[in-house]
Structures are given as C-alpha cells and as structure tokens.
Amino acid sequence: LHWFLPFLSGSPALGYESLGRVFDFTKHDNFCERTGYVGLLPLALGAWAVVRRPEGVVRFYAGCAALGLAIAYGLPPLPAVLGAVPVLSDISHVRLLLLVGFSLCVLAGLGLDALLAETRRKPRAALAAAGSIGAFLYLWLVYEILRPDLPGLAPEEKSFLLRQLPVFIGGAAVASLAAWRPFAFRWGALCVAWAALDSLRFAWGFNPSSPRELYYPETQAISRLKSEPGPFR
C-alpha cells in the first residue's frame, strides 16, 4: 500500500504514525524500511518500458527491481538462503528497497523515452485505461481496509488521509493524460515536472537540520575534561 500512498500510516516528519494500527503496520517501526515510493507516474512509465521496450538495459533493471523486491519482502526461499550466509544474515535485507527505487527510476526514464517515440494510438489508449482502472481499484482497496475503523478515527486523522488523495489522483491523471494524448514535448516536460515535484513533496522535511545548540552537545565527560588544568586533558 505504501508504494502508492506513502503516508498511509504516517511518518516521523509528519506524525500520525498511530494510523499504523489500522493497517497492522505497527510492528514495522522504520519508515524507510516500510515505505517504497518513487511516485505513481514513474511506476506507470516503468511498466511501459517493460512492455514496449524489452531490450537488454530494460531487462537488466527490471531484473534488479524484481530481485530486490523478492529479497526485501521475503519471497521463499530467499530469507533462509541469505540467513545462512555470514554477514548477510546480520543486515536488514529490506534496505534493498534502495536498489528497487533506483531501478524503477531508470525504467521510468526509459519508459518516457519509449512513450515519446510511440506513434500508434491503440497501445497508448490501453495504457491510459489500465492505469485509470488500476488507480480506482487501489483506492477502493484502501477504503475497504479503512472502512471498519473509520468511525473510530480522530477528525485530524481523517483529514490527514484525505490530504493525500490529490497527489495520488494527480499522478494518475498525468499518467493517463500523457498516454492518451498524441505525445509531444510538452507532455514529456509535464511528466518530468510532476515526477520531480512529487519526489520533493515526499522527501521535504524528512531530514530536518539540527538546532545549532545541539551540534556540540555538552556531556559529562567533556565537562570533566574541561575542568582539568594543565596538559592532562
């Protein structure tokens, strides 16, 4: 679910992490390890690259993404195999979401390039229809999961969830519009601009700067050393 609406169970930067109880994500307390997000539009463009441009570089990055997902989400027998390998058994395999995200971004660029070169109307229309139907089914799934708990949600939690919908719907609209319309430079520029703004919106404020007074915190050990006269310290 977090691949499409990354803040469904809140985030350290935005709060509302209590929503994890609704989706049973409370056991996953690391936002970076539970949230894979590159944006809805790049996912659509990446799928287009796999379908319409099955060349070597596309197969390579699609394979990297598939392997990373299989390991990160524990597809048997990979957990048992990696768990038996020294060093690999002691690290979090979910960190391979970094490889997945990078691969999907490369595929999105290749997909956009393929879409720019696409001249036939029928494949573009099929992509637009499939994307629209998929987006609707996803929202329906999220609603069905939320529906039993909606009466118990606080008003601010409901408002927080609703504020995520415009970005999701906007991404689906841009993807469908870019696929449906005869492609030109302006639609390619729109895709790049939307993907960039969506990524910035997602990451904004996630790594806030520390207050200056916390750069060099005074500890008891430092205070003890400062109190010693002469060359001892």
Side-chain angles (χ1 to χ4, degrees):
L1 293 176
H2 288 106
W3 280 96
F4 303 100
L5 286 174
F7 302 126
L8 270 178
S9 53
S11 81
L14 300 178
Y16 297 99
E17 292 185 283
S18 59
L19 286 169
R21 70 185 188 279
V22 177
F23 300 97
D24 194 27
F25 295 148
T26 51
K27 59 181 177 294
H28 303 295
D29 58 353
N30 189 320
F31 179 80
C32 295
E33 293 186 358
R34 70 168 183 254
T35 306
Y37 186 73
V38 297
L40 185 61
L41 177 60
L43 284 175
L45 292 173
W48 183 257
V50 172
V51 172
R52 301 296 296 174
R53 192 175 171 173
E55 56 194 58
V57 65
V58 173
R59 290 196 298 268
F60 173 78
Y61 281 106
C64 287
L67 179 62
L69 283 172
I71 295 175
Y73 290 120
L75 182 68
L78 292 174
V81 172
L82 295 175
V85 179
V87 179
L88 293 182
S89 61
D90 296 322
I91 62 177
S92 174
H93 303 141
V94 183
R95 302 294 172 86
L96 278 176
L97 288 178
L98 291 169
L99 174 65
V100 176
F102 177 78
S103 300
L104 290 175
C105 289
V106 174
L107 289 174
L110 295 171
L112 180 61
D113 187 57
L115 197 57
L116 281 165
E118 184 67 61
T119 57
R120 290 182 292 174
R121 177 77 176 177
K122 188 174 180 180
R124 294 201 309 267
L127 173 65
S132 300
I133 294 172
F136 172 79
L137 291 176
Y138 170 77
L139 289 179
W140 177 78
L141 171 64
V142 172
Y143 173 75
E144 285 298 313
I145 295 174
L146 277 171
R147 188 157 56 96
D149 294 277
L150 278 177
L153 293 182
E156 57 271 19
E157 290 178 324
K158 294 178 182 178
S159 176
F160 174 75
L161 290 172
L162 288 175
R163 290 199 301 270
Q164 299 182 49
L165 293 182
V167 175
F168 176 85
I169 295 173
V174 171
S176 297
L177 184 64
W180 182 264
R181 301 289 296 176
F183 223 86
F185 172 79
R186 62 181 181 274
W187 300 116
L190 176 62
C191 288
V192 172
W194 180 271
L197 290 173
D198 189 15
S199 295
L200 287 171
R201 175 203 65 89
F202 168 66
W204 193 266
F206 183 70
N207 287 317
S209 59
S210 299
R212 184 178 297 274
E213 60 270 17
L214 297 182
Y215 282 178
Y216 302 103
E218 188 78 10
T219 66
Q220 291 183 354
I222 293 176
S223 301
R224 177 72 176 83
L225 291 173
K226 283 182 176 181
S227 68
E228 288 293 331
F232 171 76
R233 62 182 183 186

